[in-house]
Each structure stands twice: as C-alpha cells, then as structure tokens.
Amino acid sequence: MQTLAAPVVKMHMMNTSPQKFSSAWSDLRGVSFSQGFLDAGGVRTRYISSGKPDKPLLLALHGVGGHAEAYTRNFGAHGEHFWMVAIDLLGHGLTDKPPIDYQISDYARHVLDVMKSLGRDKVHLTGESIGGWIATHLAVHHPEKVDKLVLNTSAGWTAHPEVMARLKSISNHAAADPSWERIRGRLEFLMHDKTKVNDDLIETRRAIYAQPGYADTMQRVMCLQDMDLRRANMITEAQYRSIKAPTLVVWTSHDPTATPAEGKQIADMIPDSRYVVMNECGHWPQYENADEFNRLHIDFLLGNGAR
C-alpha cells in the first residue's frame, strides 16, 4: 500500500499578547461613542463622537488625507469632560467630496457649517497638521467662534519643498493604488515608531482610499502641496499675533514636516500661548503617546495649571 505524505499545513499563530495587538476596537473598548452622519450646509459629513452634548464641545480636525480615526485613542479620556466630535473633513474619509481644489477657506466654511449643525456658536478647536491650519484660520477670521485652540504639529507656517513633494507623492500613489503596502507606507510617514501602524488602521484607510473616484479627489486635496497655492493660504506672522483664543501648541521630537524650533516660532507669535514638545513621537502624538497627549490636552482645555 502506498503511503501518502501528510500535507504541509501552514498556520498563522495568533498573537495573543495585549502589548502587541491593537486596533480601533481596542482603543474604544469601554468607551461610549457614536458614529454617524450630519448635514453641514448640504455636505454629508461623517463624525465620531464621545461624551454628551450637555458638555463643552471639542471639535477635532485631522490631517490632510486623514479621517476621524486619528483620534480613536482620545475619545475615552476626553469624553469624560467634553462632547468630543471628530469629523472627516470636506473631501476626506466618508464625507462628501465636491470637485474643487480644497483650500483652507473651503475647509473652514465646512467646519462652520458643522458647528451650526451641532447647534454651537463657540467651540474648543483642536487640529492636527492641516487640521491645525484650518483651526488657526478660524481663530484669525472668526475669533468669536473659538474658545480655546490647540495646534498639534500644525501646518500653515512652513513650506518645505522636499516635504511637500514627498507627501504629495506618497498620498497620490496610495490613492491611485490602494494596496496594503502603499497604505502602510503612507501611515508610517506619520509615526516615529512605525510599529504603531496596526493592521486595523491600514485597512480603515485602504477602504477609504479605495472609494470610487478617490484618486482624483486626492489630487485635489494635495493642491496645497503646490508652492504658489500653499503660500496664498499660509498664515502670516501678523495673523498669528492677532489670535485672542488661549492656545496650546504641541510639537514632537520627530515630526517629519517641521522641526520643534519651527513649532516654537508659531507659539512665540501667538500671545501668551503654551508650547510643549512630546518626545519619541512623529506627526500623530495624539495616537503615538495618547496617555501623555490626553493629560496635556485635557489639562489645558480645563484651564488647569499656569499658561
């Protein structure tokens, strides 16, 4: 009788270590949150929120090419003190994507419409990267709308051609070919510790970038990486100096877009602002070191400690 060799079965061992496994669900475990869509001036806008509407509204604005999941590690802590709402910006995530070149004033109008839809005339604004740029624009042009302001590795002041070219390239390539590796590379750009880019985060962004027509939208989103248009949208020194809202500027030791010294320049221009550098973080300190960010952020927003 012929003896058949046993088939070789390749098995993937499940990593059960809680120190190594992470996802949006583990970030939100035990957190009361909601996800949905609102009508912001005719724009169907996706949001994730925590906390209750009877608390002060904290509106969170993600970076270019991003989405509300940038804040999954912040909803729990902030929901204890605020009604925290993170949106997908105009042209981003699952929010509507009109065929325009997305400039800062376009984003700002959308945010104002979101505030109106939420029934608030004044909010705390926290913005990361281009979200900080939008928040700064609102603090300058609509100061009556901004209670406190947090600028987290904020864009709007620097214009480094090599950074702009790299960001434009990896973003457009990821949207044109939303493969696992391209999406991973786009997310790793944000992190000092590349291991923080987990499978769940990759798949979330891959699904967003794989939406029909998203490659064309990304080219429009990336318009601010063209120098002439970027300079036309940048925040001036006089505008920074005009900001009246109490402001916290958060920078990092390993931000890929600008140095801590450049972050300090922003803080020095804003009257009586606070400045802090988070070590061993890249462009997403609110994600890479959520515990420290949450403590600093909440402490500032609640008005604890000297400014």
Side-chain angles (χ1 to χ4, degrees):
M1 182 174 65
Q2 185 178 10
T3 302
L4 299 178
V8 176
V9 179
K10 294 182 178 180
M11 299 183 65
H12 296 281
M13 300 301 292
M14 181 179 293
N15 182 357
T16 58
S17 169
Q19 287 78 25
K20 295 183 178 180
F21 177 80
S22 63
S23 76
W25 289 111
S26 60
D27 294 341
L28 294 168
R29 185 179 297 121
V31 177
S32 294
F33 73 98
S34 64
Q35 176 182 216
F37 293 85
L38 55 83
D39 183 335
V43 175
R44 188 172 187 261
T45 302
R46 183 231 185 184
Y47 69 87
I48 303 174
S49 69
S50 65
K52 296 181 179 179
D54 61 353
K55 296 179 179 180
L57 176 58
L58 170 62
L59 195 56
L61 311 178
H62 62 75
V64 70
H67 35 88
E69 281 82 5
Y71 294 99
T72 56
R73 296 181 174 177
N74 314 117
F75 286 113
H78 287 77
E80 296 180 15
H81 306 280
F82 307 99
W83 181 26
M84 182 176 182
V85 177
I87 62 169
D88 288 348
L89 292 171
L90 187 70
H92 288 70
L94 302 179
T95 290
D96 282 348
K97 301 165 183 63
I100 62 172
D101 286 341
Y102 296 92
Q103 300 190 51
I104 298 302
S105 59
D106 300 309
Y107 293 122
R109 280 193 296 272
H110 177 233
V111 172
L112 291 173
D113 286 335
V114 168
M115 290 173 56
K116 185 176 180 180
S117 179
L118 294 172
R120 296 299 177 92
D121 293 324
K122 194 169 188 178
V123 300
H124 297 315
L125 276 180
T126 184
E128 174 261 323
S129 193
I130 201 173
W133 193 348
I134 299 161
T136 305
H137 178 97
L138 289 165
V140 169
H141 296 284
H142 300 276
E144 75 284 359
K145 300 290 186 181
V146 182
D147 191 347
K148 290 187 178 180
L149 177 68
V150 180
L151 305 180
N152 173 14
T153 60
S154 178
W157 175 244
T158 60
H160 298 300
E162 67 284 1
V163 174
M164 294 158 59
R166 183 185 177 197
L167 182 57
K168 184 177 181 179
S169 176
I170 61 176
S171 299
N172 281 334
H173 280 104
D177 173 25
S179 64
W180 192 265
E181 288 308 312
R182 285 198 184 277
I183 299 298
R184 176 187 289 278
R186 175 62 177 84
L187 287 163
E188 286 181 345
F189 171 80
L190 304 171
M191 310 289 183
H192 172 53
D193 180 357
K194 311 304 183 188
T195 67
K196 295 293 177 70
V197 178
N198 59 59
D199 289 355
D200 193 24
L201 188 58
I202 295 171
E203 175 55 22
T204 297
R205 184 162 293 201
R206 190 209 62 77
I208 288 171
Y209 282 22
Q211 293 174 95
Y214 202 81
D216 290 337
T217 297
M218 183 63 79
Q219 291 186 30
R220 296 178 182 278
V221 165
M222 285 292 123
C223 72
L224 291 176
Q225 307 312 313
D226 294 329
M227 187 61 78
D228 288 345
L229 200 56
R230 186 182 189 88
R231 290 200 180 280
N233 281 265
M234 287 174 69
I235 309 298
T236 67
E237 179 177 349
Q239 288 173 331
Y240 278 116
R241 294 193 182 283
S242 75
I243 292 174
K244 300 290 191 266
T247 303
L248 171 67
V249 178
V250 179
W251 223 260
T252 69
S253 58
H254 292 80
D255 180 64
T257 66
T259 65
E262 289 167 312
K264 183 68 162 50
Q265 288 178 340
I266 294 173
D268 285 346
M269 289 184 287
I270 301 173
D272 300 321
S273 69
R274 290 177 60 183
Y275 178 67
V276 62
V277 176
M278 290 179 58
N279 292 318
E280 305 303 315
C281 291
H283 204 49
W284 269 23
Q286 82 285 352
Y287 190 90
E288 282 200 81
N289 190 346
D291 288 344
E292 181 180 358
F293 181 89
N294 290 339
R295 178 181 59 79
L296 292 167
H297 202 247
I298 291 170
D299 182 72
F300 170 75
L301 292 173
L302 292 179
N304 300 326
R307 288 184 57 209

